[in-house]
Amino acid sequence: PVVDSNGAGDAFAAAFLYAWLNRETPARSALYGTIAGAHACTVPSTEAAAIGLDDLLTRAAAP
């Protein structure tokens, strides 16, 4: 469930750039960003619980 959208854009940008700079396709980079942005919406803005790289990669690999 969506708790707070603060930080979703930053999370999207960070994950997108991580993927892009690691030579992923634009679509795959957008997927990484979308996953990270969606995760950010599940965390209250008073907490700092960014998605970890392992969790991001696992979620991006899921069918």
Side-chain angles (χ1 to χ4, degrees):
V2 173
V3 175
D4 192 338
S5 63
N6 285 317
D10 293 336
F12 178 94
F16 181 94
L17 286 173
Y18 169 81
W20 184 252
L21 294 173
N22 282 284
R23 302 190 185 280
E24 293 287 354
T25 65
R28 190 106 177 116
S29 297
L31 173 64
Y32 280 37
T34 301
I35 292 168
H39 174 79
C41 289
T42 67
V43 180
S45 64
T46 57
E47 296 178 19
I51 190 169
L53 181 58
D54 290 338
D55 196 19
L56 175 65
L57 296 176
T58 298
R59 291 182 188 188

